[in-house]
Amino acid sequence: CWVCLGGLGILFFYNFSFSFNTIIVINKAFKMLGFILRNTREFKNDYVLKMLFCSLVMSNLVFGLLI
């Protein structure tokens, strides 16, 4: 039985395991990275790509990291 509790955007199982939340966060980060790579093929400025990566991908990865 999959029992999953959620609070403040963090998902964990009944035994307080964060494995389910980790899978969801990683999949979301890969989706955002794919979105960035598909839509910025013509970009020449590395600074813009870095800012998009930090704002869209890294922000999702570090959310809830200190729990």
Side-chain angles (χ1 to χ4, degrees), residues 1-58:
C1 179
W2 292 81
V3 178
C4 183
L5 304 171
L8 298 175
I10 305 297
L11 300 173
F12 48 89
F13 286 111
Y14 62 93
N15 61 355
F16 297 106
S17 171
F18 291 103
S19 60
F20 187 67
N21 186 60
T22 304
I23 293 168
I24 290 175
V25 168
I26 289 172
N27 286 339
K28 186 176 180 182
F30 275 125
K31 285 180 185 178
M32 291 304 297
L33 182 60
F35 174 78
I36 291 171
L37 293 176
R38 282 191 310 273
N39 292 309
T40 60
R41 286 187 182 148
E42 303 295 324
F43 285 20
K44 303 291 183 203
N45 192 349
D46 291 337
Y47 179 75
V48 174
L49 295 174
K50 181 181 174 185
M51 291 304 295
L52 285 171
F53 177 79
C54 290
S55 63
L56 298 176
V57 178
M58 286 299 292

